[in-house]
Amino acid sequence: MNGEGFDGMLSCMISQLSGKTPLDRYRCFETLDVDEARDIVARHFCNHRLELASADARFDACQNRVAGRHLSLNYLRYGADVSIDPGELADFYLIQIPIAGTAEVANGHQYVSSDTRTATLLNPDRHTKMQWHAGCEQVLLQIERAFVRQIAVRMAGTELGPIRFNAKLDLTQPELARWSRRLRGLFKGAEAGEIISNKNDRCQDLLEEMLVASLLDSQPNTVSPMLGRTSSGATPAIVKRATEMICERFQEDISLLDISSHSGTTPRNLQLLFKREFGRSPFQYLQSIRLAYARHLLISGSDSLTIAEVADMSGHRHFGRFSVAYRRCFDETPRETRRYHKFR
């Protein structure tokens, strides 16, 4: 999407909604009092420090909010230049998309200058500090941390280490532009009163699952190495049984005969089916899962684990062969991955 098209999409975030601001029908508060704004926002997010950059600045805060089952949609402004220090969010991820103005955001060791083309994603287990400049208005997506983990585990097919994202969302990138259009659709539907509720509604669950799943697919994160597996069209039931077993037991010592027996076929036939579906043998598929999981552990920031422990936890019993295979797959050593690609 070109810049003009993206800017137009952002302007629609307000202009196509009924009301002066996004979610105008779901007004939480509008105030000129800093303490009142801090207290009300804290009820919806978490306790935080909120300070004016200048004592004579014109403070004009407003929040609109509607909550679904596992996420909430928000509009927020402060009017003046403010510093915000929530520390660690703990229980939720927070995506902030400026629709006007700019902000500076630090999440852990990641620092982002945010504007209408560059949003931010705050990881809940990393300390956050922000500076919203005068005139900054943002739409916010708050997602329960447990819900993100639930979707990620279902997508990866295995238990996972810490789930962290790159804090910088480049909304001009095609995949994230498509994701932001989905989010805009939720805002429009909520504004029209057609979607978003906290009731036990399967349609609502599906909307929220789709939004989180597409975020995990679109934005670099510690689960990304586990999400790159594809198959061609309708996968045969034999192959599905085999891949399910591999994903469930890749940390164990399993053989080709174990996999083929579980799948209800011969080793030779299983090899032919895997070659057709994935262009690789069952053992090569198993190895790719093990290496992807090792990379997940390394970029998750699990500093308490040694490289040898990462190898063992991902199903590799020979450290030397693990290091060679890892370097061949990712063109870097496990230590280099930990040093340069860790989401901190």
Side-chain angles (χ1 to χ4, degrees):
M1 177 180 293
N2 60 35
E4 181 179 353
F6 182 75
D7 288 341
M9 184 190 75
L10 281 173
S11 65
C12 285
M13 183 74 82
I14 296 180
S15 64
Q16 288 188 2
L17 299 176
S18 59
K20 296 179 182 179
T21 59
L23 305 175
D24 206 48
R25 64 187 291 175
Y26 300 104
R27 179 64 48 84
C28 291
F29 74 87
E30 193 166 8
T31 182
L32 304 179
D33 184 271
V34 175
D35 292 332
E36 181 183 13
R38 181 195 303 111
D39 291 345
I40 298 175
V41 171
R43 293 174 205 162
H44 299 143
F45 297 111
C46 60
N47 290 327
H48 61 283
R49 290 174 50 203
L50 176 66
E51 298 177 350
L52 286 170
S54 172
D56 58 357
R58 173 166 165 68
F59 186 79
D60 177 21
C62 173
Q63 182 188 13
N64 303 333
R65 172 185 172 86
V66 59
R69 294 257 291 147
H70 305 287
L71 55 78
S72 72
L73 307 178
N74 300 263
Y75 161 82
L76 186 60
R77 73 163 189 265
Y78 291 107
D81 200 322
V82 297
S83 61
I84 309 165
D85 186 350
E88 294 185 8
L89 305 182
D91 297 328
F92 61 91
Y93 296 83
L94 188 64
I95 295 172
Q96 305 179 131
I97 305 177
I99 56 176
T102 60
E104 311 297 325
V105 178
N107 181 241
H109 293 283
Q110 301 183 70
Y111 176 84
V112 183
S113 292
S114 182
D115 54 29
T116 56
R117 297 185 178 209
T118 307
T120 55
L121 195 163
L122 308 183
N123 293 291
D125 63 342
R126 291 295 180 258
H127 192 104
T128 294
K129 286 187 176 182
M130 300 179 282
Q131 190 83 23
W132 286 31
H133 300 300
C136 182
E137 301 177 48
Q138 303 207 46
V139 290
L140 285 68
L141 172 65
Q142 178 189 30
I143 314 172
E144 292 175 1
R145 182 178 185 175
F147 186 60
V148 173
R149 171 166 290 279
Q150 173 190 327
I151 300 301
V153 166
R154 284 170 55 190
M155 292 174 68
T158 187
E159 284 301 318
L160 299 166
I163 300 172
R164 300 190 189 101
F165 292 83
N166 188 327
K168 178 180 178 180
L169 280 77
D170 182 354
L171 299 179
T172 65
Q173 294 297 313
E175 287 190 0
L176 281 172
R178 284 192 293 271
W179 179 83
S180 65
R181 285 197 295 272
R182 286 180 176 167
L183 179 60
R184 175 185 152 210
L186 256 65
F187 270 83
K188 290 176 65 178
E191 179 64 25
E194 298 170 352
I195 58 173
I196 298 295
S197 70
N198 56 14
K199 297 179 181 179
N200 186 11
D201 185 283
R202 183 54 182 159
C203 181
Q204 179 69 33
D205 285 342
L206 291 173
L207 282 172
E208 296 184 4
E209 287 174 9
M210 179 181 67
L211 191 68
V212 172
S214 60
L215 177 66
L216 284 160
D217 272 332
S218 304
Q219 178 65 3
N221 61 80
T222 57
V223 188
S224 296
M226 304 293 294
L227 304 182
R229 305 187 297 275
T230 60
S231 62
S232 56
T235 304
I238 289 173
V239 175
K240 286 183 179 179
R241 288 195 293 271
T243 56
E244 286 171 0
M245 179 187 182
I246 288 171
C247 288
E248 290 173 2
R249 298 178 56 189
F250 69 90
Q251 295 165 300
E252 304 174 19
D253 295 324
I254 56 176
S255 67
L256 177 61
L257 185 57
D258 292 330
I259 301 170
S260 61
S261 297
H262 176 85
S263 306
T265 189
T266 65
R268 175 60 178 161
N269 188 49
L270 189 64
Q271 287 179 319
L272 291 173
L273 288 172
F274 263 72
K275 190 70 173 178
R276 188 184 73 189
E277 290 295 311
F278 305 110
R280 64 184 75 178
S281 70
F283 182 77
Q284 288 171 328
Y285 185 92
L286 170 62
Q287 178 70 340
S288 71
I289 301 299
R290 287 172 169 170
L291 290 171
Y293 189 69
R295 189 170 182 83
H296 161 67
L297 292 176
L298 291 168
I299 67 178
S300 294
S302 304
D303 290 331
S304 60
L305 298 175
T306 66
I307 301 297
E309 288 172 330
V310 168
D312 187 65
M313 289 177 63
S314 57
H316 298 89
R317 303 297 177 245
H318 191 285
F319 182 74
R321 285 199 289 269
F322 163 68
S323 297
V324 170
Y326 190 95
R327 184 163 193 167
R328 184 183 300 122
C329 182
F330 299 113
D331 199 30
E332 63 186 16
T333 67
R335 284 185 174 79
E336 287 171 335
T337 295
R338 171 168 279 173
R339 185 180 305 124
Y340 299 119
H341 300 289
K342 187 167 64 178
F343 287 76
R344 299 183 298 170

